[in-house]
Amino acid sequence: MPQIFQTRVIEIEDFPAAKLRRLIVTGQPGHTLPEYHAGQYAMLTFDGFPPRPYSIGNAPGADHLEFHIRNTGNGASQYASEILRIDDSIEVTAPFGSCLYIADCERPLVAVAGGSGLAGMKAIIEEALSDPRRTAPVSLYCGARALKDLYLDDQFRTLEETDSRFHYLPVLSEEQRDGFSHGLVATVMADDLADLSGHRLYGAGPVEMLRQFEREALAHGAVAEYLHTDLHQHS
């Protein structure tokens, strides 16, 4: 069952071009952090604003939680992006969601992310690659409108260079650039892999992207049991 946890901000990283802020929080003195599975999300309550859902962006077991906040220009996201400071308090209610990383699965893992949905997929990728027994590949199809929106591009390129199991495939929908796929991320993924009957798939991002992801995956042979999103619970 979800519980309420009192946390404080210990790190802030801004990505102005993508209008996104990465927050790292830890428990207030004497307070613990939630137990959760990679792929789950939390409800964050910033001072004076109603709770908002944000995916947890790091694998379980750390002494902190990571959240990716896209600034929509108003409300809680604007407060978190422009006013929140180091040592400020955030109330975290967690965990929620059923888009869970399944350990001990020998199938190739495919994660498809759009926008700040990348946070939950990042946690799943971290968890999968932390298992030294895994030999099956882990692929991330990361969708964005333009290059400036790929806020963790360098990080995933470095990971691809250092772990041969990981494959990073950025996809731009509104901008064409050399070295990047162009189109809708779910379509590019399905065209690349063609037969998804042997894969385990995860998706996170805007509702329309997830609907298309499910359609494309099932049309290319994905087994519903091995297809994970929070589409029907949390967008």
Side-chain angles (χ1 to χ4, degrees):
M1 290 292 292
Q3 295 178 288
I4 297 175
F5 300 84
Q6 304 302 324
T7 73
R8 65 184 179 88
V9 179
I10 59 171
E11 186 177 330
I12 293 173
E13 184 177 11
D14 286 317
F15 300 89
K19 297 181 179 179
L20 187 135
R21 168 172 278 191
R22 179 157 64 169
L23 297 178
I24 308 293
V25 306
T26 193
Q28 291 279 17
H31 289 260
T32 60
L33 291 174
E35 295 183 3
Y36 65 97
H37 295 280
Q40 290 192 295
Y41 66 95
M43 302 296 292
L44 304 189
T45 304
F46 302 104
D47 187 30
F49 295 92
R52 295 285 300 163
Y54 291 99
S55 294
I56 301 171
N58 60 298
D63 61 357
H64 63 272
L65 300 175
E66 175 178 332
F67 298 101
H68 301 181
I69 314 291
R70 186 172 297 281
N71 188 355
T72 63
N74 55 59
S77 75
Q78 185 177 32
Y79 174 85
S81 299
E82 299 177 7
I83 299 173
L84 197 70
R85 295 291 180 263
I86 298 291
D87 285 333
D88 283 357
S89 298
I90 303 175
E91 186 176 273
V92 174
T93 306
F96 297 93
S98 59
C99 182
L100 311 179
Y101 172 69
I102 307 298
D104 301 322
C105 177
E106 297 179 355
R107 290 171 170 249
L109 187 157
V110 178
V112 176
S116 56
L118 180 58
M121 298 299 96
K122 174 179 173 291
I124 285 173
I125 289 164
E126 286 180 0
E127 183 82 343
L129 295 178
S130 71
D131 184 353
R133 299 167 298 173
R134 167 173 280 276
T135 57
V138 175
S139 300
L140 170 63
Y141 284 83
C142 186
R145 290 187 176 91
L147 179 58
K148 66 180 178 62
D149 299 312
L150 291 174
Y151 58 95
L152 295 184
D153 188 64
D154 289 344
Q155 180 174 329
F156 287 119
R157 290 186 186 277
T158 299
L159 181 59
E160 186 176 40
E161 292 173 359
T162 56
D163 194 321
S164 61
R165 297 170 297 173
F166 179 62
H167 306 285
Y168 171 59
L169 302 112
V171 181
L172 305 179
S173 62
E174 296 181 2
E175 185 177 51
Q176 297 197 29
R177 284 184 176 253
D178 291 341
F180 292 83
S181 295
H182 177 71
L184 299 177
V185 64
T187 301
V188 171
M189 178 275 300
D191 288 347
D192 270 2
L193 300 175
D195 180 5
L196 296 171
S197 60
H199 293 70
R200 186 179 289 278
L201 298 103
Y202 296 87
V207 170
E208 284 306 315
M209 188 216 86
L210 290 181
R211 287 175 177 155
Q212 188 200 17
F213 168 64
E214 288 193 351
R215 288 194 302 268
E216 293 276 13
L218 293 171
H220 287 77
V223 179
E225 177 185 356
Y226 299 107
L227 179 60
H228 309 275
T229 74
D230 273 331
L231 177 60
H232 308 291
Q233 299 182 50
H234 156 60
S235 60

